[in-house]
Structure formats: C-alpha cells, structure tokens
Amino acid sequence: MEGSGSRIAAILVLTLSFLTCIVLSEDASDAQPQVPCFFVFGDSLVDNGNNNDLPTLARSNYRPYGIDFPEGPSGRFTNGRTVADIIGQFLGSKGFIPSYASARRSNTLGVLFSTPGAAGTSGLNFASAAAGIRQETGKHLGANYYLADQVRQFNSTVQSLRGSFGNDTELNIYLSKCLYGFSIGSNDYLNNYFLPDIYRTSHQYTPSAFAEVLAQEFSGQLSKLYDLGARKFAVFGLGLIGCIPFELARMNNTNNSTCNEDQNKAIELFNIKILQLVKRFNTDLPGARFVYGNIYDRFRDLLSNATAYGFTVTNKSCCGVGPNNGLITCLPNQTPCQNRTTYLFWDSFHPTEALNMFFAIKSYNSTSPSDIYPENIQQLATA
C-alpha cells in the first residue's frame, strides 16, 4: 500500500507539473511579452551554442544531445530545453533566444532588435560552457568566454543597437525594461577550485576566501551591466555540485546517493555571498531590482523527496560512461536512457529538461522567498 501511495503521489505531481507547463506556455504564446528582451549570461547550464565553433572539449553540438529539442543538437548540454529557454518562453518569446555567436555569424544583431516587441521577447544568449567568473576557469578544456568576455559582448551589442533607437534615452529606457539572467559560478569550483592539480586557487584561498573573491568579481561585472542600462537582474545560485554523477563517480559511489558534502559546504558559502550581494544591490543601486534563485535548497529538497516530484533516478545520469554514468560525459551517438523524464541528470554534470522545467517553474512563479527572493521572475518582469 505504501508503494502504491508513492506512485499515486508521483503521478499527481507529474500531472500538475504538466498542466502548469501547458498553462504557462499558453499564457506566453497568447499574451503580450512581459519584457522586450531577455539577455542570458552563464555557463553550460544555459549555453545554447556559443561554444560550437570554439577550440574546446566543452561542446555538445552532437547527438544524443538535443534528442528532445525541436532543433536537434544545438550546443545545449541537455536532452531538451535549458532553464533559460523555458523562462524565455514564459516571458513571451515566440522562439528561442539566439546565441550571440549565431547572431553575429549571421549578421542579424540589428534585425533582432529593429522592431522591439514585434515578435515577442527578443534578446541574446552569451553563455559559454566551461566558463566561470574567473578568467582562468575551465581553460584546461580549451577556449571559452568567461563572464567579463560576455559582458564585453553585451557592450558591443548595445553599441550596435544605437542605430535602432532615436537617441540614447530611448535605448536606455528599452534596456531598463529587459531581463538579465545569470547562471554562473559552477565551473569556478568544478573546473578550477576542485582541481588542485591543475589550478592554484585551492592552495591560495580557503573556501570562504574564494567565495568572497568570486563574489567581488561577480559584483564588478554586474555593476558594469548596470552602468550599461540593465535594471532587472535574475541571479541563480549554485546547486549541489557534490551530488552530481561526476562527483559520485569519483567517489565510486554506485550503491547510494551520498554526496560530497565538503564540496557542497564550499558551494553554500558562495551562495550566501551572492544572496548578500543581491540584497545590497537592491538597496544601493537606484532603480535596480535583483532576485536570487535558490537552486541549492530546492535541489536538496528534490533529492530528499524525488519520487514525490516524479523522479526515480537521482544518482546517475541518463547518458554517460562509468560508475553512475558519470565518469565520462555523454559520447557522440551514445544511446541514452528511454525514460528521461524520471532522471534528474542528463549527463555527468547537467540536468535533464524535466529538472530544468522544475527549476524554471519555481523561479518564475513561486511565491515562497525560499525559492526565489525577494520576488519571482514574473513579478520582476512585469514590475
């Protein structure tokens, strides 16, 4: 009876989530866009193809990546949509926000913003896989655009937009209404601080000091965006990196889902700094509105109550090699799992579309400050 009850609960949760997705998607397609543009900054959790032409191992423009995505393999590190894709749809985007690399390659930067709002929410995605807040992060894998590079790309975009607006005042008003999303920092740990044989940061800084250094560098880049006209910021904290299949595989943890809590404690220190940063900027920067997405605690809750949310596999990836399918990430043309909606992780590092949907819904319309603080993304967008 107890097992039957769990299955019924899981079915109810999945049904509710599915209906919520339909309602939000219909609202997004029928209603006016909530923001004129959406700009995305970050790493592989939200990268949608900016690394495709870079000399790097951090690329995913091959099958089975994108197996559930309408455009197939696109450079997204998941089976379907990223959190940024889903939030973009909720905001009113008629299609997917393009990558900066694709827009620049096709010379369509001006076209994207020539008639603001005419085709729903427009925008650009600057995110780059393996990138971090620090310049050296992830460079052992090859080239990437770290956060300062992404901000410079946005600056270049702003300069190119000047011709589409009558004057700087109109452009600044336009930019102030846009949403700026951030999902970055994971690689500063995974592909920097937690690799002491390659990077010196763990020898130079205690976990607390490293979190402070990252927060200061992040603060500087956010301030630059504010000076360029950004006013609405959605900043996502980091998840439980110590619980991803890659880390479980390194511990050879195949029988249970015990996490590397030393790593999680280091991540928590960073998240605390970023929440403090959000609170300070909301007070100190005139006209700015910042929200903080609490991925860390929601992930902890999800791991403890996975079946209640419809997930049954929490300690191995849908596609990968080695213990927990996590030692080596998803290989070209590898056959992934069939029941992808029940897996938390797509590959060694990245969530499935189902988990991305969970986080997107929480951040977009939750009324709990423990999910997103001090307001949700829908409230931020329409303010």
Side-chain angles (χ1 to χ4, degrees):
M1 289 297 292
E2 185 177 349
S4 176
S6 299
R7 285 192 294 271
I8 293 173
I11 292 171
L12 290 173
V13 170
L14 282 172
T15 302
L16 179 60
S17 297
F18 179 71
L19 291 174
T20 302
C21 297
I22 291 175
V23 170
L24 288 173
S25 298
E26 287 180 347
D27 286 347
S29 61
D30 295 338
Q32 290 296 312
Q34 295 166 23
V35 292
C37 46
F38 180 31
F39 296 104
V40 180
F41 303 80
D43 52 32
S44 56
L45 292 174
V46 289
D47 185 357
N48 64 345
N50 283 305
N51 275 26
N52 286 356
D53 296 325
L54 291 183
T56 177
L57 295 174
R59 290 164 53 174
S60 61
N61 52 339
Y62 57 85
R63 292 189 179 278
Y65 286 92
I67 189 172
D68 300 311
F69 188 67
E71 300 172 10
S74 60
R76 289 166 171 82
F77 287 75
T78 185
N79 58 304
R81 292 168 294 171
T82 68
V83 167
D85 289 326
I86 298 166
I87 290 175
Q89 291 179 314
F90 291 167
L91 292 171
S93 176
K94 303 304 181 184
F96 295 106
I97 303 297
S99 67
Y100 176 77
S102 65
R104 186 176 59 175
R105 185 168 54 246
S106 59
N107 199 28
T108 57
L109 281 176
V111 176
L112 286 170
F113 302 94
S114 59
T115 53
T121 298
S122 60
L124 284 172
N125 186 322
F126 302 94
S128 176
I133 297 169
R134 291 177 65 88
Q135 183 176 14
E136 79 275 9
T137 290
K139 291 300 194 293
H140 67 289
L141 297 172
N144 65 56
Y145 300 112
Y146 81 115
L147 182 58
D149 287 334
Q150 296 176 34
V151 172
R152 282 190 286 269
Q153 290 170 344
F154 175 75
N155 185 17
S156 176
T157 300
V158 171
Q159 304 316 313
S160 70
L161 289 179
R162 295 192 184 281
S164 301
F165 292 82
N167 52 59
D168 285 354
T169 299
E170 290 183 8
L171 175 58
N172 289 336
I173 291 173
Y174 174 74
L175 293 174
S176 71
K177 295 178 180 178
C178 300
L179 180 66
Y180 301 79
F182 301 83
S183 177
I184 197 162
S186 294
N187 288 305
D188 292 295
Y189 288 93
L190 274 170
N191 287 307
N192 190 329
Y193 196 74
F194 293 158
L195 295 178
D197 293 336
I198 301 176
Y199 297 95
R200 297 294 301 166
T201 47
S202 63
H203 304 286
Q204 297 170 321
Y205 303 105
T206 65
S208 179
F210 188 62
E212 178 62 30
V213 167
L214 290 180
Q216 288 178 359
E217 294 188 28
F218 198 4
S219 173
Q221 297 305 320
L222 292 173
S223 296
K224 288 180 180 179
L225 288 169
Y226 176 84
D227 292 339
L228 287 168
R231 292 297 182 270
K232 298 182 178 183
F233 298 81
V235 181
F236 289 91
L238 306 185
L240 295 170
I241 287 178
C243 301
I244 64 175
F246 176 73
E247 295 301 338
L248 297 180
R250 290 177 68 189
M251 297 188 298
N252 199 26
N253 189 348
T254 58
N255 297 322
N256 57 61
S257 57
T258 300
C259 304
N260 185 330
E261 291 302 338
D262 288 337
Q263 291 187 350
N264 288 337
K265 288 175 183 176
I267 297 302
E268 189 172 23
L269 292 172
F270 172 81
N271 287 337
I272 291 171
K273 296 289 185 183
I274 299 307
L275 178 57
Q276 292 171 346
L277 181 63
V278 163
K279 292 178 178 179
R280 176 165 61 83
F281 276 169
N282 275 332
T283 300
D284 294 348
L285 296 183
R289 299 174 77 107
F290 282 76
V291 301
Y292 170 77
N294 185 2
I295 301 297
Y296 188 93
D297 287 336
R298 296 292 65 74
F299 215 136
R300 181 79 73 183
D301 174 57
L302 196 56
L303 288 174
S304 300
N305 303 283
T307 56
Y309 294 105
F311 295 98
T312 58
V313 186
T314 64
N315 66 339
K316 68 177 183 178
S317 69
C318 175
C319 187
V321 178
N324 304 85
N325 285 346
L327 202 58
I328 300 175
T329 195
C330 196
L331 299 174
N333 297 314
Q334 183 177 352
T335 301
C337 66
Q338 293 298 311
N339 51 338
R340 292 181 284 277
T341 59
T342 65
Y343 277 69
L344 291 181
F345 298 100
W346 161 250
D347 66 11
S348 309
F349 304 94
H350 305 99
T352 57
E353 182 185 63
L355 183 52
N356 284 331
M357 177 63 75
F358 173 85
F359 287 133
I361 291 175
K362 285 286 187 182
S363 61
Y364 181 75
N365 68 0
S366 175
T367 57
S368 171
S370 64
D371 291 334
I372 187 158
Y373 172 90
E375 59 187 346
N376 61 43
I377 288 178
Q378 184 178 32
Q379 292 166 329
L380 173 67
T382 56

